[in-house]
Amino acid sequence: MKYIFLPIIFIFLALNSCSKKKEEVVVLKNEQGMRLMVNGEDFIINGMNWDYFPVGTNFSYSLWQQPNAFIKKALETEMTLLKELGVNTIRVYEGIQPKWITYIYEKYGIYTMLNHSFGRYGVSINGNWKPETDYTNVNAQKSLLAEVVQMTKTYKNTPGLLLFLLGNENNYGLFWAGSETEDFPEEETEKKKIGEIRGRAMYKLMNEAAVQMKKVDASHPIAICNGDLLFIDIIAEECKDVDIYGTNMYRGKSFLDAFDIVKKKLNMPVLFTEFGSDAFNAINNKEDQKMQAFYLVENWKEIYKNVAGLGKAENAIGGFTFQFSDGWWKYGQTINLDVHDNDASWATKAYDYDYQENHNNMNEEWFGICAKGPTNNKGLYTLYPRAAYYALKEAHQLNPYSEGMTTSLVLKHFNEIKLNDALIKAANNKVVLE
């Protein structure tokens, strides 16, 4: 019996080892461009900025501190909708336990990009919290490096982990005092001054973080998250060990020259860590689902057109739509948490559907491609997909790496997405919610 039993044990252990084997994720650069590869296969990131905040809560709430049964119930609703949408990766901040990254991957087939804020909202130094991070401070540097190295050690063997992301438009944080989105200063001289005084030290530290993290885990690429292209020349000088240029970019229907500039100055693949549109029209002062769907479809069309092998910039590896559901706490942060505020907090001409001179038009609490229902007595809520959800569901059916794919076929696919049809599909959701 022992001669039969032992081989069976070895086979079982081998199979179990294979099932838990961490996946190899690499950035590949060749004559066809830049791409992300997962276990040797091309991988386009059809991503989503995802979180879970019931109405009445804010950034202090954590899904991952709730009972396991509650977490599973919340994930069942959210991840099912995401999977049906065609999303293959979610952006999640550190705080999620490794077991939930694996759970989401094994049950729903969705990867996680793990995000460390890297001092964007403050830093802990010797047990004392500093609300603003001075990246020239040696103790702040040591603290941040220790945090990201420990994070890498904790998550490196986690099935379902796709890559690490450092920061969240931290270059904007060099100007803003808090986390709430504000209009950005336009004076170029002031921008450059801040970039040299405060920014260069930050980017140098981000690069050192990438170096240290790769010593722990060489199987997951490291991206940074920058606000648009601000300080890209400093990044080119200081971030040579970073694998992916991630950017939060809100330029309306087109990213314009972003692909070409990143290719020329950084020679890195570009990943849109945030982009999108709100679903509230500041001129009409009411929800405008078609407007939101229009901008998102145009954005994804450009991303797909610029992947490797299609003859354009060939450096796009995907993006993360912002965002899955409305954040009712975004405008006031700590007040009116039960109110869906209609106040716009910043302005940009790029979103010309509802732009008026000297008026804000971007509504932070309305960026969800799903509207959020009330919280029930168990602490759960229901999501109601908007038109953008159904339009993106069609968009993500395209695999830009398919054999024989061309720019013309990408355009044909997107031209066949009918926003009015998406509106019809979302109409009943709106009625039910109201």
Side-chain angles (χ1 to χ4, degrees), residues 8-35:
I8 291 175
I9 291 178
F10 292 144
I11 292 172
F12 173 79
L13 291 175
L15 289 174
N16 187 58
S17 175
C18 290
S19 67
K20 295 297 183 182
K21 183 180 179 182
K22 67 178 181 181
E23 297 179 338
E24 185 177 23
V25 186
V26 299
V27 171
L28 178 68
K29 299 179 183 179
N30 57 27
E31 65 280 359
Q32 289 187 319
M34 308 174 200
R35 63 186 76 207

Short mmCIF file of all heavy atoms in Angstrom, two decimals, residues 8-35:
data_model
loop_
_atom_site.label_atom_id
_atom_site.label_comp_id
_atom_site.label_asym_id
_atom_site.label_seq_id
_atom_site.Cartn_x
_atom_site.Cartn_y
_atom_site.Cartn_z
N ILE A 8 0.64 9.04 -4.81
CA ILE A 8 -0.61 9.80 -4.81
C ILE A 8 -0.44 11.09 -4.01
O ILE A 8 -0.90 12.16 -4.41
CB ILE A 8 -1.76 8.95 -4.22
CG1 ILE A 8 -2.10 7.81 -5.18
CG2 ILE A 8 -2.99 9.81 -3.96
CD1 ILE A 8 -3.14 6.86 -4.65
N ILE A 9 0.27 10.98 -2.87
CA ILE A 9 0.53 12.17 -2.07
C ILE A 9 1.34 13.18 -2.86
O ILE A 9 1.05 14.37 -2.90
CB ILE A 9 1.28 11.80 -0.77
CG1 ILE A 9 0.36 11.00 0.16
CG2 ILE A 9 1.80 13.06 -0.06
CD1 ILE A 9 1.03 10.56 1.42
N PHE A 10 2.39 12.68 -3.56
CA PHE A 10 3.25 13.58 -4.32
C PHE A 10 2.48 14.27 -5.44
O PHE A 10 2.67 15.46 -5.71
CB PHE A 10 4.44 12.80 -4.90
CG PHE A 10 5.40 12.31 -3.85
CD1 PHE A 10 6.04 11.09 -4.00
CD2 PHE A 10 5.64 13.07 -2.71
CE1 PHE A 10 6.92 10.64 -3.04
CE2 PHE A 10 6.53 12.62 -1.74
CZ PHE A 10 7.16 11.39 -1.91
N ILE A 11 1.61 13.51 -6.09
CA ILE A 11 0.79 14.09 -7.17
C ILE A 11 -0.13 15.16 -6.60
O ILE A 11 -0.28 16.25 -7.16
CB ILE A 11 -0.03 12.99 -7.87
CG1 ILE A 11 0.90 12.07 -8.65
CG2 ILE A 11 -1.06 13.62 -8.82
CD1 ILE A 11 0.21 10.84 -9.21
N PHE A 12 -0.74 14.86 -5.45
CA PHE A 12 -1.65 15.83 -4.81
C PHE A 12 -0.90 17.12 -4.46
O PHE A 12 -1.37 18.22 -4.71
CB PHE A 12 -2.27 15.22 -3.56
CG PHE A 12 -3.08 16.19 -2.75
CD1 PHE A 12 -4.37 16.54 -3.13
CD2 PHE A 12 -2.54 16.80 -1.62
CE1 PHE A 12 -5.11 17.46 -2.40
CE2 PHE A 12 -3.26 17.71 -0.89
CZ PHE A 12 -4.56 18.03 -1.28
N LEU A 13 0.29 16.94 -3.84
CA LEU A 13 1.07 18.12 -3.45
C LEU A 13 1.50 18.92 -4.66
O LEU A 13 1.50 20.15 -4.63
CB LEU A 13 2.30 17.68 -2.64
CG LEU A 13 2.02 17.11 -1.25
CD1 LEU A 13 3.31 16.60 -0.61
CD2 LEU A 13 1.37 18.16 -0.36
N ALA A 14 1.85 18.24 -5.73
CA ALA A 14 2.27 18.93 -6.95
C ALA A 14 1.13 19.73 -7.54
O ALA A 14 1.30 20.88 -7.95
CB ALA A 14 2.80 17.92 -7.97
N LEU A 15 -0.06 19.10 -7.59
CA LEU A 15 -1.22 19.80 -8.13
C LEU A 15 -1.58 20.99 -7.27
O LEU A 15 -1.93 22.07 -7.78
CB LEU A 15 -2.41 18.83 -8.24
CG LEU A 15 -2.29 17.76 -9.32
CD1 LEU A 15 -3.47 16.79 -9.21
CD2 LEU A 15 -2.24 18.38 -10.71
N ASN A 16 -1.53 20.78 -5.95
CA ASN A 16 -1.87 21.87 -5.04
C ASN A 16 -0.88 23.03 -5.18
O ASN A 16 -1.24 24.20 -5.16
CB ASN A 16 -1.87 21.36 -3.61
CG ASN A 16 -2.39 22.40 -2.62
OD1 ASN A 16 -3.52 22.86 -2.76
ND2 ASN A 16 -1.57 22.75 -1.63
N SER A 17 0.40 22.66 -5.37
CA SER A 17 1.43 23.68 -5.54
C SER A 17 1.19 24.47 -6.81
O SER A 17 1.34 25.70 -6.83
CB SER A 17 2.81 23.01 -5.58
OG SER A 17 3.82 23.96 -5.87
N CYS A 18 0.79 23.79 -7.88
CA CYS A 18 0.53 24.47 -9.15
C CYS A 18 -0.65 25.42 -9.02
O CYS A 18 -0.65 26.52 -9.58
CB CYS A 18 0.25 23.45 -10.25
SG CYS A 18 1.73 22.52 -10.74
N SER A 19 -1.68 24.98 -8.27
CA SER A 19 -2.88 25.81 -8.17
C SER A 19 -2.60 27.08 -7.39
O SER A 19 -3.27 28.09 -7.58
CB SER A 19 -4.00 25.02 -7.48
OG SER A 19 -3.67 24.77 -6.13
N LYS A 20 -1.59 27.03 -6.49
CA LYS A 20 -1.27 28.20 -5.67
C LYS A 20 -0.06 28.97 -6.22
O LYS A 20 0.38 29.94 -5.63
CB LYS A 20 -0.98 27.78 -4.23
CG LYS A 20 -2.18 27.17 -3.52
CD LYS A 20 -3.32 28.18 -3.38
CE LYS A 20 -4.49 27.59 -2.62
NZ LYS A 20 -5.62 28.52 -2.52
N LYS A 21 0.49 28.52 -7.35
CA LYS A 21 1.68 29.16 -7.91
C LYS A 21 1.37 30.60 -8.30
O LYS A 21 0.39 30.88 -8.98
CB LYS A 21 2.14 28.38 -9.14
CG LYS A 21 3.41 28.93 -9.77
CD LYS A 21 3.80 28.12 -10.99
CE LYS A 21 5.04 28.68 -11.64
NZ LYS A 21 5.40 27.91 -12.85
N LYS A 22 2.23 31.52 -7.84
CA LYS A 22 2.00 32.92 -8.17
C LYS A 22 2.25 33.15 -9.65
O LYS A 22 3.09 32.51 -10.27
CB LYS A 22 2.88 33.82 -7.32
CG LYS A 22 4.37 33.71 -7.60
CD LYS A 22 5.13 34.69 -6.73
CE LYS A 22 6.63 34.62 -7.01
NZ LYS A 22 7.38 35.55 -6.16
N GLU A 23 1.51 34.06 -10.21
CA GLU A 23 1.61 34.31 -11.62
C GLU A 23 2.72 35.31 -11.91
O GLU A 23 2.99 36.21 -11.12
CB GLU A 23 0.27 34.81 -12.16
CG GLU A 23 -0.82 33.77 -11.99
CD GLU A 23 -2.17 34.25 -12.49
OE1 GLU A 23 -2.36 35.47 -12.56
OE2 GLU A 23 -3.01 33.42 -12.78
N GLU A 24 3.35 35.16 -13.07
CA GLU A 24 4.41 36.06 -13.46
C GLU A 24 3.83 37.17 -14.33
O GLU A 24 3.24 36.91 -15.38
CB GLU A 24 5.51 35.31 -14.21
CG GLU A 24 6.70 36.20 -14.54
CD GLU A 24 7.81 35.45 -15.22
OE1 GLU A 24 7.53 34.39 -15.81
OE2 GLU A 24 8.95 35.92 -15.17
N VAL A 25 4.00 38.39 -13.87
CA VAL A 25 3.50 39.55 -14.59
C VAL A 25 4.70 40.40 -14.99
O VAL A 25 5.51 40.79 -14.14
CB VAL A 25 2.55 40.39 -13.71
CG1 VAL A 25 1.92 41.51 -14.52
CG2 VAL A 25 1.46 39.50 -13.09
N VAL A 26 4.84 40.67 -16.27
CA VAL A 26 6.00 41.42 -16.75
C VAL A 26 5.57 42.48 -17.75
O VAL A 26 4.54 42.38 -18.40
CB VAL A 26 7.05 40.49 -17.40
CG1 VAL A 26 7.57 39.48 -16.40
CG2 VAL A 26 6.47 39.79 -18.62
N VAL A 27 6.41 43.50 -17.86
CA VAL A 27 6.27 44.51 -18.91
C VAL A 27 7.22 44.13 -20.03
O VAL A 27 8.42 43.96 -19.80
CB VAL A 27 6.59 45.92 -18.38
CG1 VAL A 27 6.65 46.92 -19.53
CG2 VAL A 27 5.56 46.35 -17.36
N LEU A 28 6.68 43.98 -21.23
CA LEU A 28 7.48 43.58 -22.39
C LEU A 28 7.59 44.76 -23.35
O LEU A 28 6.60 45.40 -23.69
CB LEU A 28 6.84 42.39 -23.10
CG LEU A 28 7.55 41.91 -24.37
CD1 LEU A 28 8.92 41.31 -24.02
CD2 LEU A 28 6.70 40.88 -25.12
N LYS A 29 8.82 45.03 -23.78
CA LYS A 29 9.07 46.08 -24.77
C LYS A 29 9.79 45.45 -25.96
O LYS A 29 10.81 44.79 -25.79
CB LYS A 29 9.94 47.20 -24.18
CG LYS A 29 9.35 47.92 -22.99
CD LYS A 29 10.30 48.99 -22.47
CE LYS A 29 9.75 49.67 -21.23
NZ LYS A 29 10.70 50.71 -20.70
N ASN A 30 9.23 45.65 -27.14
CA ASN A 30 9.89 45.17 -28.36
C ASN A 30 9.52 46.08 -29.52
O ASN A 30 8.97 47.17 -29.33
CB ASN A 30 9.53 43.71 -28.65
CG ASN A 30 8.04 43.48 -28.76
OD1 ASN A 30 7.28 44.39 -29.12
ND2 ASN A 30 7.59 42.27 -28.46
N GLU A 31 9.82 45.64 -30.74
CA GLU A 31 9.57 46.48 -31.91
C GLU A 31 8.08 46.75 -32.15
O GLU A 31 7.72 47.68 -32.86
CB GLU A 31 10.18 45.84 -33.17
CG GLU A 31 9.57 44.51 -33.59
CD GLU A 31 10.06 43.32 -32.79
OE1 GLU A 31 10.92 43.52 -31.90
OE2 GLU A 31 9.58 42.20 -33.04
N GLN A 32 7.23 45.96 -31.53
CA GLN A 32 5.79 46.16 -31.67
C GLN A 32 5.21 47.09 -30.60
O GLN A 32 4.02 47.37 -30.60
CB GLN A 32 5.06 44.82 -31.62
CG GLN A 32 5.26 43.95 -32.86
CD GLN A 32 4.38 42.73 -32.82
OE1 GLN A 32 4.21 42.09 -31.77
NE2 GLN A 32 3.80 42.39 -33.97
N GLY A 33 6.05 47.53 -29.67
CA GLY A 33 5.56 48.44 -28.64
C GLY A 33 5.75 47.89 -27.24
O GLY A 33 6.62 47.05 -26.99
N MET A 34 4.90 48.35 -26.32
CA MET A 34 4.98 47.96 -24.91
C MET A 34 3.67 47.33 -24.49
O MET A 34 2.60 47.81 -24.84
CB MET A 34 5.26 49.19 -24.04
CG MET A 34 6.45 50.01 -24.49
SD MET A 34 6.63 51.54 -23.54
CE MET A 34 7.64 52.49 -24.69
N ARG A 35 3.79 46.26 -23.74
CA ARG A 35 2.58 45.55 -23.32
C ARG A 35 2.80 44.88 -21.98
O ARG A 35 3.93 44.67 -21.53
CB ARG A 35 2.18 44.52 -24.37
CG ARG A 35 3.20 43.42 -24.60
CD ARG A 35 2.77 42.54 -25.77
NE ARG A 35 3.01 43.20 -27.05
CZ ARG A 35 2.31 42.94 -28.15
NH1 ARG A 35 1.34 42.05 -28.13
NH2 ARG A 35 2.60 43.55 -29.27
#
